Amino acid sequence: GIYANADFGKISLDIKNSTLMYNEADSGGGIYQSSGTGYMSSCQIESSVLALNGLDNLNVDGTSACTSLGYNVFSDSTVMGHLSTDSLNKDSVTINIPNTLTSVWGAYVAMPIRPSVAINNGNPNDTSNAQNRPITGIRDVGASEVCFVSSIDSYTVCDSLVWVDGNTYSRTN
């Protein structure tokens, strides 16, 4: 998670295309933000996953504010200032990002798995590279872009063939 505490000043957090999940803390497991007396700190979050972080995902003190810029996925049912492009109240099954990191082309990432609410739901105007690869289609919410490998196989057989999916195919089907 992110712990930002400024006893004698202010903090400005800009969180974009990040995945903050499965952190444990007594307060603000995802983001904890506090500023000094008389200072107003700010936080902006865009196209990020902030979910399943201990007791609460976001804890800002009374002199701080966190604003959504949209395209976020939250496990909280209410997020002050959320936008219509944000997804609220999502559980681990709906988010479907594992609690383990996978090595993909040299980067360790927590990649969404189909079906995940994070896939293709990021900011459609953001074409910046993800942590692990260039964007394909619409950017995914969070730090990584899901990787799909598709291929077409063809075989010429004289009889029937049992395919990897367990189905039997012949000349007639």
Side-chain angles (χ1 to χ4, degrees):
I2 297 172
Y3 178 84
N5 185 14
D7 290 332
F8 303 103
K10 69 177 192 171
I11 300 168
S12 179
L13 294 175
D14 293 314
I15 301 162
K16 183 175 181 181
N17 301 330
S18 299
T19 302
L20 298 163
M21 292 181 68
Y22 306 115
N23 297 295
E24 292 294 329
D26 293 336
S27 181
I31 300 171
Y32 177 86
Q33 181 181 10
S34 177
S35 58
T37 304
Y39 292 96
M40 175 73 173
S41 292
S42 65
C43 165
Q44 296 179 331
I45 183 167
E46 177 184 1
S47 197
S48 296
V49 179
L50 183 60
L52 310 170
N53 291 296
L55 298 176
D56 55 4
N57 291 302
L58 179 62
N59 185 332
V60 294
D61 71 13
T63 60
S64 299
C66 197
T67 305
S68 170
L69 298 179
Y71 305 99
N72 298 297
V73 174
F74 298 103
S75 58
D76 297 308
S77 59
T78 58
V79 175
M80 185 176 285
H82 74 275
L83 300 177
S84 61
T85 57
D86 291 326
S87 297
L88 302 178
N89 201 29
K90 302 302 176 189
D91 62 11
S92 61
V93 174
T94 307
I95 298 170
N96 207 12
I97 296 177
N99 190 7
T100 56
L101 298 178
T102 304
S103 177
V104 179
W105 296 295
Y108 285 93
V109 297
M111 214 166 23
I113 300 170
R114 277 195 191 269
S116 170
V117 69
I119 296 174
N120 290 331
N121 280 322
N123 186 338
N125 298 314
D126 182 357
T127 58
S128 64
N129 286 342
Q131 181 181 13
N132 62 322
R133 63 170 291 148
I135 303 304
T136 55
I138 298 173
R139 195 180 209 300
D140 293 346
V141 178
S144 64
E145 181 78 358
V146 73
C147 300
F148 292 113
V149 177
S150 62
S151 62
I152 298 173
D153 290 320
S154 61
Y155 288 89
T156 303
V157 293
C158 297
D159 199 1
S160 61
L161 171 72
V162 177
W163 192 243
V164 293
D165 61 5
N167 292 320
T168 301
Y169 297 94
S170 66
R171 292 183 300 157
T172 59
N173 67 350

